[in-house]
Amino acid sequence: MTSKYISSFGTMRPPKREVGMSKASTSIPEFHTALLNSKRILALCGAGLSAASGLDTFRGKGGMWRNYRATSLATPEAFENDPGLVWLFYALRRHQALNAKPNMAHFALAELARQKGEEGFQCLSQNVDGTPPTLLSPPHTNPLGLSQRASHPPSQLKLLHSTLFNLKCFNDSCTYLDIDNFTDPLCPALTITPENIETRLAPAAKSMHNHLDPRRPKAIPEDELPHCPSCETGLLRPGVVWFGEALPSETIEGIDEWIEAGESVDLILVIGTTATVWPASSYVEIARRFGAKVAVVNMDDGELGSASDLREGDFWFQGDAAVLVPQMLEPVVGDLKQFKELAA
Ligand code: BJW
Ligand code: ZN
């Protein structure tokens, strides 16, 4: 993961603070003027973008899975200690993502991408509910990720935390990678029925030890979990980026190249994210350095990390991204009525 623009998290992360709403405009007509004056636009999207499609967020209300904080399961240490527990969490999310529909915000961003072209718009998504833009099937066919089902042009979608539909080997010395694996369930032990999940989780739930304690009963015996067909010893794991892991370098380098290809970045849309996870959060500051106004769309005015320091000329829209993003982009994307029947 090498980027000219991302600084180390020690220097980048701003202190926790409420959104500086007082200086930002909340006027959609004023935003329309800014949008129409913007040649080069970035979006930084998070879990709130897919909330209207029925997928859970990481923090706040949607951030608990059973008795576990979602963020505590998104680590190599959690997988090391109880791979079956972590696999159940991801198997459920694969199942939900495969069965979810894109919402109107996905369609609006995809249309913005088509209208502005590669030079004019790049969507940086922290969400793992999509496939990487490498090996894509034709648009609109299942199974694909939500942005891809909204026909978002692949070269304009950068999946910062990769995707639930890549699998890789947990063995560090093995390079096995399975791209676009949509099998559901991946194996019988990972079948998504309430009974299977409850039965698997019950012994651990009754234990006094926390899920990082090696003495705690494991959710699924390792021989029932998917194994790597290449080295035959390692367990397969979801190919997403967990805490402490590097983001895909070709993705980061592609974003650097896009930034460098123009004189400025004029606008960054920060949609449905707490903007607290580094290095994704640093794109707000990076875009600012290149001249961008910041437009935040969020249900909540709580913690908004790197997007909280809003200034004169910035925008703040509180509400559901699926409702607000189409309204905000309307002068460029039109009324999107052709997509309404397809959307969640
Ligand atoms: C709506 C809505 C609606 C709801 N409409 N809005 C100390 C300080 C600073 C940084 C660090 C630190 N210690 C460690 C770090 C680094 C660490 C980090 O940032 N930690 C922070 C928690 C502090 N970062 C990393 O570890 C990264 N890697 C790294 O540092 O590597 C170093 C390295 C370099 C070189 C070589 C080797 C190593 C990796 C970070 C990976 C994060 N991965 C996850 C899991 C992905 C897999 C999975 O999905 O399971 O990514 S964590 C989780 O957070 C997930 C998300 O993409 C990410 C961001 O969350 P997001 O999208 O913002 O969701 P929420 O839930 O937080 O917010 C949703 C928002 O939507 C809310 O605001 C709602 O209000 C809103 N909302 N409904 C509009 N309808
Ligand atoms: Zn392997």
Side-chain angles (χ1 to χ4, degrees):
M1 183 181 88
T2 42
S3 165
K4 269 192 210 159
Y5 303 113
I6 294 171
S7 316
S8 76
F9 55 73
T11 56
M12 278 308 288
R13 194 162 191 257
K16 260 192 179 187
R17 59 192 158 213
E18 296 295 292
V19 187
M21 284 178 290
S22 54
K23 294 189 191 131
S25 165
T26 55
S27 157
I28 293 265
E30 277 176 33
F31 177 79
H32 285 170
T33 306
L35 177 72
L36 291 169
N37 287 331
S38 297
K39 219 168 129 201
R40 303 182 85 238
I41 303 174
L42 277 177
L44 175 67
C45 302
L49 172 69
S50 296
S53 296
L55 303 187
D56 283 336
T57 57
F58 262 86
R59 295 163 189 84
K61 278 182 227 130
M64 290 298 286
W65 181 67
R66 302 301 196 272
N67 288 325
Y68 306 95
R69 268 186 296 118
T71 45
S72 77
L73 298 172
T75 69
E77 293 74 27
F79 190 83
E80 176 100 55
N81 277 298
D82 193 347
L85 170 68
V86 174
W87 254 126
L88 280 172
F89 172 61
Y90 281 96
L92 178 66
R93 290 178 55 210
R94 281 168 62 93
H95 182 77
Q96 289 170 335
L98 283 170
N99 290 290
K101 284 176 166 182
N103 64 57
M104 286 309 290
H106 291 107
F107 283 108
L109 289 167
E111 188 59 26
L112 182 69
R114 282 187 290 274
Q115 295 298 328
K116 296 290 294 179
E118 219 169 299
E119 257 310 291
F121 177 57
Q122 287 289 326
C123 182
L124 319 183
S125 179
Q126 299 169 84
N127 298 345
V128 294
D129 53 33
T131 64
T134 42
L135 297 173
L136 277 176
S137 330
H140 286 317
T141 56
N142 274 345
L144 281 173
L146 295 186
S147 295
Q148 292 82 357
R149 264 178 266 155
S151 301
H152 196 112
S155 62
Q156 289 166 265
L157 180 62
K158 304 286 189 270
L159 298 183
L160 299 172
H161 298 158
S162 194
T163 157
L164 291 166
F165 303 109
N166 283 356
L167 307 177
K168 57 187 194 183
C169 183
F170 192 60
N171 182 348
D172 276 343
S173 58
C174 176
T175 55
Y176 178 79
L177 176 63
D178 184 3
I179 289 176
D180 287 353
N181 181 318
F182 298 104
T183 311
D184 180 33
L186 273 171
C187 60
L190 295 176
T191 303
I192 299 306
T193 56
E195 304 73 48
N196 186 40
I197 294 179
E198 293 317 325
T199 314
R200 302 280 181 183
L201 293 182
K206 286 188 199 122
S207 158
M208 300 296 284
H209 305 291
N210 81 41
H211 72 284
L212 290 177
D213 189 325
R215 288 168 297 175
R216 186 174 149 115
K218 303 290 180 263
I220 301 175
E222 284 197 14
D223 59 359
E224 291 183 45
L225 289 171
H227 278 73
C228 172
S230 175
C231 68
E232 293 179 358
T233 54
L235 283 175
L236 287 180
R237 56 157 279 187
V240 296
V241 181
W242 283 332
F243 285 114
E245 296 183 327
L247 276 61
S249 43
E250 64 289 357
T251 306
I252 299 298
E253 283 156 19
I255 300 168
D256 275 14
E257 279 164 24
W258 184 86
I259 291 171
E260 276 161 11
E263 279 166 15
S264 62
V265 178
D266 305 307
L267 178 65
I268 182 162
L269 313 172
V270 182
I271 303 171
T273 174
T274 44
T276 48
V277 172
W278 183 89
S281 57
S282 29
Y283 285 109
V284 181
E285 297 302 329
I286 294 168
R288 261 201 205 288
R289 261 189 271 151
F290 280 81
K293 295 177 192 303
V294 178
V296 176
V297 183
N298 202 296
M299 203 65 148
D300 203 34
D301 60 357
E303 188 178 9
L304 286 167
S306 62
S308 47
D309 181 21
L310 296 186
R311 306 169 190 176
E312 195 87 38
D314 291 339
F315 296 90
W316 160 241
F317 299 111
Q318 185 168 6
D320 182 4
V323 174
L324 288 170
V325 173
Q327 288 172 10
M328 291 164 64
L329 302 183
E330 206 266 344
V332 178
V333 304
D335 63 12
L336 301 169
K337 64 171 182 289
Q338 69 275 33
F339 300 116
K340 286 193 178 131
E341 282 196 359
L342 301 168

